[in-house]
Amino acid sequence: MEPIRILVVDDEKDFTEMLCLRLTEAGHSAEAVHDGQSCLKKLDEKPFDVLILDIRMPGMDGLQVLRQIKTDHISTEVILLTGHGSTETAVEGMKKGAFDYALKPYDFEDLLDKIKEARMVKNEREERIIKAEERSRLDRLEKHMRF
């Protein structure tokens, strides 16, 4: 299995270091940033499969970041992670396009399962897009060949 490219976005630096270490030990590629603006800048620089996004951060909160991601980086799946927010906040995030949510303290294996599911959904969406593009090219070619 190809490593999943994961970006962890949380203002708690010790938490992000530990989570990135565990994700890397599990065979994935993990990086961390500590605020919403840095997250958006990082996504502009390179693609990630899955984001682990804290809801409560200084500056842009997680829901604001999620809204921007779903506008500019639609193929990136987002898992909201919160230790302070309520379940209602996390559900609101899912309505705005998050793949899922987890509450701190989290079970690492459960979080890893969510990350794998999110990657699978992303891959399936990308395959459907490729097939749709191929169908579109064939349709255009058929129209061109008829005349």
Side-chain angles (χ1 to χ4, degrees):
M1 177 186 210
E2 190 174 311
I4 301 172
R5 297 167 298 183
I6 305 162
L7 181 61
V8 179
V9 186
D10 196 307
D11 59 327
E12 296 178 39
K13 293 183 180 178
D14 291 341
F15 169 77
T16 59
E17 286 178 22
M18 183 58 68
L19 182 55
C20 285
L21 180 65
R22 293 190 75 189
L23 291 167
T24 301
E25 287 175 352
H28 304 292
S29 169
E31 296 181 38
V33 292
H34 304 289
D35 61 71
Q37 290 294 338
S38 298
C39 168
L40 297 173
K41 183 178 177 192
K42 194 75 155 174
L43 285 171
D44 287 340
E45 294 170 2
K46 65 188 214 181
F48 287 89
D49 299 312
V50 179
L51 254 73
I52 308 297
L53 178 62
D54 189 16
I55 291 178
R56 186 177 286 181
M57 295 183 292
M60 288 180 83
D61 69 26
L63 294 180
Q64 291 172 312
V65 176
L66 172 65
R67 195 173 308 116
Q68 195 64 43
I69 290 169
K70 289 302 163 186
T71 301
D72 297 339
H73 305 280
I74 193 163
S75 67
T76 303
E77 293 296 338
V78 177
I79 297 172
L80 297 171
L81 185 63
T82 184
H84 305 287
S86 65
T87 306
E88 290 80 18
T89 305
V91 171
E92 179 187 342
M94 290 183 64
K95 287 179 180 175
K96 293 181 177 180
F99 175 77
D100 205 345
Y101 72 93
L103 301 173
K104 292 178 187 174
Y106 64 94
D107 178 273
F108 182 73
E109 292 303 320
D110 287 344
L111 182 60
L112 200 52
D113 287 343
K114 288 179 191 285
I115 291 169
K116 291 175 183 173
E117 287 176 41
R119 161 79 171 282
M120 191 172 6
V121 166
K122 178 184 187 271
N123 287 351
E124 289 171 356
R125 182 182 331 105
E126 288 175 347
E127 286 175 20
R128 285 194 310 269
I129 290 170
I130 290 170
K131 286 180 182 175
E133 288 173 343
E134 288 173 353
R135 275 195 311 264
S136 175
R137 278 194 297 264
L138 284 173
D139 288 346
R140 283 194 308 262
L141 184 62
E142 279 183 20
K143 284 181 182 177
H144 181 72
M145 298 293 282
R146 289 183 189 156
F147 294 111

